[in-house]
Amino acid sequence: MGVVVNVALAFYSFTGVRQLYTSLNSWFGSLASGLFTYDPRILYDQYENRWVVVYTGYNSSSRVSYWLIAISRTSDFQGTWCKYRIASQDSNRWIDFPLVGLDAQGIYLTGNMFDWWGTSVRTDLVVIPKNQLASGCPSSLTYYYRADLRVAGNYVATSVHPAIHYGPTSAGYLISENCCFSPTNFLSIWKVENVGSSPTLSRVDIGTFSYSFPPDAPQRGGSDRIATNDTRISATPVWRNGFLYATHPLNYNWGSGNRSAMVYYRIDTSNWSIQESRILGDADHWYYYPALTVDESENIGMSFGRSSPSEYASAWYTFKLYSESQFQPASVLKDGAGYYNPTSSSSERWGDYYGAALDTQNRIWFFGEYVRSPNVWGTWIGMLQPSFPDIAVEPLSADFGQVVIGQTTFTTFTVRNTGSGVLNIWQASVSGEDFFIQQDECSNTLLSPSQFCLIRVGFTPTLAGERLGSLSIPSSDPDEPNITASLRGVGITSASIQASPNPMDFGLVRAGNSVEHTEVISNSGESPLEIFDVRLSGEGFALVEEGCKGRILQQNETCQIKVSFTPAMIGT
């Protein structure tokens, strides 16, 4: 199942991250000059192996607001960076709660845009094509700006989360839970296409079940409650292999009163349907601010906060392997160490500082908020490494040999999971002329450890000559996500029997005398010629020497048959 290891500061160059957090204004230099800056976010771009830092700032006197964005040139956090700022297109609004996501084509920024009087809010979107960063740091960024995103009924959208994408994708996805405006209980998903040239934006609204705001959570040691806020998507969603994963808190009654709980969604972006949803929690505890991630095997890890009248506010986690239908029972990441009551409010503000992320070794990292000491909260980091699958294919190469044009021969490949985790196999395919998959037990299946499946590949040459190809099997193996087996075959023409002389003419032979002739049998074709039997008919003829029966003649190979003719009477 995997083990959680508690660590202090050990996620990539975490020391560098911490230093950057404490000095972002000086690090951004003149870009941040004169701005009140806040809400930094960091993502790792696994497509380009580089970091993305987003930060926001505003100047209340001049009423200007910016996204500050830095993109590293390499995976070295302390290396060279490209730094920019992107202004809000509405001088009457400032950016709050900035969010960032990315895919192979673009970087996506959103923000809740408040007016300076705090009376209204909307969400704006910035799409940055990544192709302009291929050769260096351009002097300015080209980007697409879309103000005032809307949901069903033309209501204002808030807290629209761009997803972090994994794997090949032709579009970027964003999602919002319409927590704060009527009607509620639906998810809105935006799809961004043509990012590299002329981005287009479309939206679909998906209805969900009925739910309401989560109640604030009690905690051990007093009557003040931990604020759980509302039902918005509470952390960066994930898109992987055609599915969008997201989570948010909600109110749920397990039979003994209302509790703050969590819901998780798996949404098929090919047909806009919710393929899976789960409400997580229990009757004895309050759960809040969930965050999730999804690894290469489609195992799901979630971090969240939890408390109850008998439990301090603590950091927790759970996970679900792809092969499992339910999440594992909640496990503690870090226990709270005291009562949290730093203000006079009866509902104590609790930051939504929970997250889940993958590193380049496909390990799941959690970070969560907990009470470090009375009235002081802290952040704890832990790592979960689920069991990994390991794909093995036998044979890794197949030589079909010489095959007569139009005929077919087969090779069977055994695909086995030699690892300790469930192996997810996607659609297998062959390349190369005249090769094809005749039987496939493996595509779009799951293999538990030690299980195997079979793929039968055929070769039917259409022309003479050598053919080369490969069998490709994509899977969730983190080391070999697309294993290939080489294919080879040679098309040849069929066997062709020749006899010389033909006909065998003994001429005039006196009755009672005997004459012998030799017949040469040859194979003028490319494929082997098998001679099953040699039979003689007709009066006066006899086999003197037979050297062909049961022979297999290769191309241009010969054998001989000696026949005698001894006529008993005159005539033909």
Side-chain angles (χ1 to χ4, degrees):
M1 294 293 185
V3 178
V4 168
V5 180
N6 288 329
V7 296
L9 298 173
F11 180 37
Y12 288 107
S13 302
F14 199 90
T15 301
V17 174
R18 182 176 58 178
Q19 291 171 351
L20 182 148
Y21 263 48
T22 59
S23 59
L24 273 171
N25 280 358
S26 60
W27 187 70
F28 268 99
S30 61
L31 295 178
S33 178
L35 300 180
F36 174 76
T37 49
Y38 51 96
D39 285 354
R41 293 183 180 270
I42 295 179
L43 286 183
Y44 187 74
D45 182 354
Q46 83 285 350
Y47 295 99
E48 310 295 339
N49 292 317
R50 61 190 179 193
W51 296 88
V52 177
V53 175
V54 175
Y55 193 40
T56 48
Y58 68 80
N59 185 311
S60 57
S61 299
S62 59
R63 291 187 177 177
V64 293
S65 185
Y66 300 94
W67 286 275
L68 305 177
I69 181 169
I71 304 159
S72 68
R73 294 297 303 146
T74 68
S75 61
D76 182 3
F77 197 89
Q78 298 181 354
T80 304
W81 291 74
C82 308
K83 302 175 187 179
Y84 306 93
R85 69 180 187 181
I86 298 173
S88 165
Q89 289 190 353
D90 188 339
S91 61
N92 290 319
R93 294 184 181 272
W94 60 278
I95 307 164
D96 186 41
F97 200 59
L99 298 168
V100 58
L102 56 84
D103 65 6
Q105 288 77 40
I107 299 171
Y108 308 93
L109 310 177
T110 63
N112 289 339
M113 311 299 294
F114 283 90
D115 64 24
W116 294 97
W117 304 272
T119 57
S120 68
V121 63
R122 73 183 193 208
T123 293
D124 287 2
L125 165 67
V126 175
V127 178
I128 304 170
K130 286 165 56 175
N131 54 14
Q132 63 189 302
L133 299 164
S135 58
C137 298
S139 58
S140 61
L141 279 182
T142 299
Y143 58 88
Y144 163 86
Y145 197 107
R146 175 69 179 269
D148 195 10
L149 298 181
R150 296 276 170 154
V151 299
N154 201 34
Y155 289 95
V156 172
T158 56
S159 299
V160 178
H161 276 262
I164 184 168
H165 298 67
Y166 295 96
T169 176
S170 59
Y173 295 91
L174 305 89
I175 186 170
S176 174
E177 190 279 333
N178 195 46
C179 75
C180 307
F181 301 97
S182 179
T184 57
N185 306 140
F186 66 87
L187 302 172
S188 295
I189 301 174
W190 287 263
K191 182 178 183 180
V192 186
E193 298 177 281
N194 303 316
V195 174
S197 54
S198 179
T200 60
L201 186 67
S202 58
R203 189 198 77 233
V204 64
D205 302 298
I206 304 174
T208 61
F209 54 90
S210 179
Y211 55 82
S212 58
F213 279 15
D216 289 339
Q219 57 175 321
R220 177 182 171 185
S223 60
D224 281 26
R225 288 180 169 246
I226 300 293
T228 60
N229 290 358
D230 48 48
T231 57
R232 283 175 291 177
I233 302 291
S234 51
T236 303
V238 172
W239 184 95
R240 187 187 282 279
N241 300 329
F243 292 91
L244 185 63
Y245 299 81
T247 180
H248 65 78
L250 78 171
N251 174 49
Y252 194 77
N253 190 332
W254 302 93
S256 56
N258 292 333
R259 302 287 186 268
S260 57
M262 310 176 296
V263 61
Y264 135 82
Y265 301 103
R266 182 175 187 255
I267 302 164
D268 189 337
T269 54
S270 67
N271 58 17
W272 305 114
S273 63
I274 297 176
Q275 293 294 301
E276 185 180 20
S277 64
R278 294 281 187 276
I279 295 178
L280 307 176
D282 62 66
D284 299 322
H285 303 91
W286 281 250
Y287 295 71
Y288 34 89
Y289 300 117
L292 60 73
T293 192
V294 185
D295 71 10
E296 290 179 346
S297 298
E298 297 187 43
N299 304 313
I300 303 169
M302 291 181 64
S303 66
F304 47 88
R306 196 180 92 166
S307 63
S308 72
S310 60
E311 184 178 283
Y312 296 130
S314 306
W316 289 72
Y317 74 94
T318 184
F319 64 94
K320 184 177 83 70
L321 299 180
Y322 183 87
S323 58
E324 297 176 334
S325 60
Q326 302 293 332
F327 280 83
Q328 296 290 323
S331 298
V332 66
L333 185 65
K334 182 63 175 176
D335 282 315
Y339 178 58
Y340 190 70
N341 179 31
T343 72
S344 60
S345 173
S346 60
S347 180
E348 299 300 337
R349 177 73 170 89
W350 192 251
D352 44 359
Y353 309 129
Y354 294 84
L358 293 178
D359 66 15
T360 54
Q361 299 179 50
N362 201 41
R363 297 175 300 187
I364 296 174
W365 289 81
F366 300 121
F367 56 90
E369 186 180 0
Y370 71 104
V371 180
R372 189 174 68 191
S373 60
N375 299 335
V376 178
W377 62 265
T379 300
W380 197 260
I381 299 173
M383 183 270 287
L384 171 71
Q385 187 164 15
S387 301
F388 287 135
D390 189 12
I391 191 171
V393 177
E394 188 179 350
L396 275 175
S397 64
D399 192 336
F400 292 81
Q402 294 182 334
V403 181
V404 175
I405 294 171
Q407 295 184 14
T408 303
T409 188
F410 297 96
T411 294
T412 299
F413 294 84
T414 301
V415 182
R416 193 181 304 274
N417 180 7
T418 60
S420 56
V422 175
L423 179 69
N424 189 357
I425 301 176
W426 296 297
Q427 186 64 51
S429 62
V430 293
S431 64
E433 289 184 72
D434 300 337
F435 297 102
F436 63 95
I437 294 178
Q438 189 263 345
Q439 180 182 356
D440 184 357
E441 299 177 354
C442 299
S443 290
N444 304 310
T445 61
L446 297 174
L447 291 184
S448 297
S450 300
Q451 282 190 327
F452 69 91
C453 58
L454 303 176
I455 298 178
R456 194 173 189 223
V457 176
F459 173 57
T460 305
T462 56
L463 296 171
E466 185 182 49
R467 295 286 184 271
L468 299 176
S470 63
L471 168 65
S472 297
I473 307 172
S475 74
S476 58
D477 184 321
D479 299 322
E480 295 180 287
N482 192 16
I483 194 169
T484 60
S486 61
L487 309 175
R488 178 188 180 275
V490 179
I492 60 173
T493 58
S494 60
S496 178
I497 189 169
Q498 303 291 326
S500 179
N502 188 15
M504 180 185 290
D505 191 346
F506 289 83
L508 297 175
V509 180
R510 186 179 299 275
N513 288 350
S514 182
V515 176
E516 294 181 355
H517 278 321
T518 299
E519 187 76 13
V520 177
I521 305 300
S522 63
N523 177 16
S524 62
E526 291 183 294
S527 64
L529 172 69
E530 183 174 2
I531 301 175
F532 302 114
D533 200 1
V534 176
R535 299 173 184 174
L536 193 64
S537 64
E539 294 183 13
F541 297 100
L543 282 173
V544 177
E545 189 178 303
E546 195 284 298
C548 293
K549 181 179 179 179
R551 289 281 302 277
I552 297 177
L553 302 183
Q554 303 300 323
Q555 186 180 22
N556 298 324
E557 192 175 0
T558 64
C559 62
Q560 294 182 355
I561 302 170
K562 186 177 289 187
V563 180
S564 67
F565 176 51
T566 308
M569 58 186 70
I570 63 172
T572 299

